[in-house]
Amino acid sequence: MTSLGGAASAGMVDWKLAVATATRFVRPGPDISREEARAVVAELRRHAKASEEHVRAFTRMIPEGHEPEDTPVLVVDRAGWVKANVAGFRELLKPLLKKMEERRGSGPGGVVLGAVGGKVTGVEVGMLLSFLSSRVLGQYETFAPASRDLPSGENGGGRLLLVAPNIVHVERELEVDPHDFRLWVCLHEETHRTQFTAVPWLRDHLEGEIQAFLSETDVDPMTLLERVREAVQSFSGGRADGDEDEGGRSLVELVQSPAQREILGRLTAVMSLLEGHADYVMDGVGPQVVPSVAEIREKFQQRRAKGASRLDLALRRLLGMDAKLRQYRDGERFVRAVVEEVGMDGFNRVWTSPNTLPTKAEIAKPADWVARVHRKGEA
């Protein structure tokens, strides 16, 4: 594997600087002794292993006698999460950054971006990741190439990341039983791991959609910078008169073309499915194995709904993180409604192919998905 800064597109984003910036500005984790930290890591690994069987039995996504690809579970700190995500971003953005690199010297915008772009963007990416690194409890990272620090499955699958300091921070903040909370988090994240290992086409499908979205990006540097400037003005209240309808939209929404909006609709639907399914499974398994699950769920939902501060709320809005909160709610309602209508095996038809994934409209109207997929399957 090449170094983070060694790619051909490294001139557009200084990835090494992104990592250095993020690790420099990342918030310190909770105060915990070395012995306590070792105990937390060991317990998270045990819970991750136990969650495999719980999730498989509940979801029935993996046929009996079939063993999916084994992917590693990595218990990481905030800096480890940053490095994993930089590696994933670098891989995903490589085609787009290569196109921008080729056009960088073709106009005045390219000259400006060529002079300072890589360093500036590296710092910006690093600052964003430093903000996010203290908020993520876990993640199934699937796009970063395998390396010594980021091992993957035999066929290049992903890895499950559990961010230990953040889990400890939240369990203390919520004042819940730490052992129950750690298992509860592992159930959610193990569901994501099961989704990707039990559905081999899912990773390639998501990557294809993301690459299609990026390929539609207007790669003229000045145009891109102008769109970002307009997005920031809109967010800060500095938009022009007559643009009130743009208020409240995220940065992602404001820089997209009509073609990208269509792709983003499909991505939103599949992400709503994945997140909602994980929440549904977590709640379904929880009462049997997590004694204080009701208390944890109530307190965690309250925390999820409100930001820690006004700045936190503002950043969530700009980054589109409020949309992610809606994905949890809408996706969970979709999964619950479908399972109630056609059972777990009937719901699992969703994993048959990209054609059986719900549309954004069907996430809001589960009965339409049931009618389309089950009527077609029974015809």
Side-chain angles (χ1 to χ4, degrees):
M1 178 183 174
T2 57
S3 67
L4 290 179
S9 58
M12 298 302 297
V13 181
D14 189 328
W15 296 110
K16 285 184 176 178
L17 184 58
V19 171
T21 301
T23 53
R24 178 183 177 187
F25 287 98
V26 70
R27 296 179 182 179
D31 187 18
I32 187 171
S33 71
R34 185 172 299 179
E35 291 74 20
E36 288 177 300
R38 280 199 292 261
V40 170
V41 170
E43 184 173 22
L44 286 172
R45 286 177 176 153
R46 289 196 305 271
H47 284 333
K49 184 63 179 176
S51 295
E52 280 188 51
E53 295 305 317
H54 295 313
V55 170
R56 291 183 186 186
F58 185 82
T59 64
R60 302 203 291 272
M61 290 179 66
I62 301 171
E64 194 171 339
H66 176 73
E67 192 63 30
E69 180 182 9
D70 186 31
T71 55
V73 176
L74 307 177
V75 182
V76 299
D77 58 12
R78 291 168 178 175
W81 180 87
V82 165
K83 291 173 183 176
N85 277 268
V86 165
F89 288 154
R90 175 181 175 272
E91 191 68 17
L92 275 178
L93 295 176
K94 194 180 294 182
L96 173 64
L97 295 181
K98 184 177 180 181
K99 287 169 64 177
M100 293 185 71
E101 181 80 14
E102 290 169 352
R103 293 189 59 178
R104 186 164 66 171
S106 62
V111 173
V112 172
L113 201 58
V116 296
K119 298 292 185 185
V120 170
T121 309
V123 170
E124 290 172 343
V125 170
M127 293 299 292
L128 171 62
L129 289 174
S130 72
F131 168 75
L132 295 175
S133 67
S134 62
R135 286 157 172 76
V136 177
L137 300 182
Q139 173 188 357
Y140 189 75
E141 203 296 310
T142 185
F143 297 117
S147 68
R148 185 181 64 181
D149 295 331
L150 283 175
S152 67
E154 291 182 4
N155 299 318
R159 70 286 297 166
L160 177 60
L161 307 176
L162 297 170
V163 191
N166 295 350
I167 293 172
V168 172
H169 171 78
V170 174
E171 70 193 25
R172 290 179 176 180
E173 179 185 319
L174 298 182
E175 298 181 335
V176 294
D177 182 279
H179 310 293
D180 283 3
F181 184 75
R182 293 165 197 173
L183 177 55
W184 188 72
V185 170
C186 286
L187 288 170
H188 181 100
E189 302 307 333
E190 177 59 36
T191 303
H192 287 317
R193 184 169 176 242
T194 299
Q195 290 164 348
F196 282 92
T197 55
V199 186
W201 54 264
L202 183 58
R203 178 195 180 279
D204 289 341
H205 173 71
L206 272 178
E207 184 174 14
E209 291 281 59
I210 292 169
Q211 291 301 338
F213 181 89
L214 294 175
S215 70
E216 291 291 334
T217 300
D218 185 342
V219 295
D220 174 70
M222 284 304 290
T223 301
L224 192 59
L225 289 174
E226 179 65 17
R227 287 185 182 178
V228 171
R229 184 188 66 80
E230 290 174 357
V232 173
Q233 285 185 342
S234 173
F235 166 70
S236 64
R239 60 183 180 272
D241 291 340
D243 288 342
E244 286 81 359
D245 58 323
E246 295 293 304
R249 296 175 67 186
S250 72
L251 183 64
V252 172
E253 291 174 308
L254 284 166
V255 299
Q256 64 181 290
S257 67
Q260 285 175 310
R261 279 193 287 274
E262 187 175 328
I263 298 168
L264 190 61
R266 297 196 298 268
L267 278 170
T268 298
V270 71
M271 295 310 297
S272 296
L273 170 69
L274 298 180
E275 296 294 356
H277 183 236
D279 266 12
Y280 178 80
V281 172
M282 183 169 59
D283 286 348
V285 175
Q288 292 140 38
V289 297
V290 182
S292 59
V293 64
E295 177 192 3
I296 291 173
R297 184 64 156 145
E298 181 181 1
K299 290 183 175 180
F300 192 78
Q301 285 288 72
Q302 291 173 356
R303 181 184 187 275
R304 186 187 266 176
K306 69 176 183 179
S309 66
R310 187 173 180 180
L311 174 61
D312 190 57
L313 287 169
L315 286 168
R316 284 190 351 187
R317 179 180 168 196
L318 177 61
L319 298 173
M321 293 169 71
D322 283 343
K324 185 174 177 65
L325 299 182
R326 289 194 297 273
Q327 287 172 13
Y328 285 107
R329 294 193 298 267
D330 296 346
E332 195 275 340
R333 280 196 293 264
F334 170 84
V335 175
R336 185 174 301 280
V338 171
V339 172
E340 288 176 356
E341 179 70 20
V342 296
M344 185 63 75
D345 292 333
F347 165 78
N348 281 340
R349 287 195 190 181
V350 78
W351 312 115
T352 304
S353 76
N355 293 329
T356 56
L357 291 172
T359 64
K360 190 176 179 181
E362 287 170 341
I363 288 288
K365 294 184 177 180
D368 290 354
W369 180 88
V370 171
R372 175 174 68 86
V373 172
H374 283 263
R375 183 170 57 231
K376 181 179 179 181
E378 294 163 0

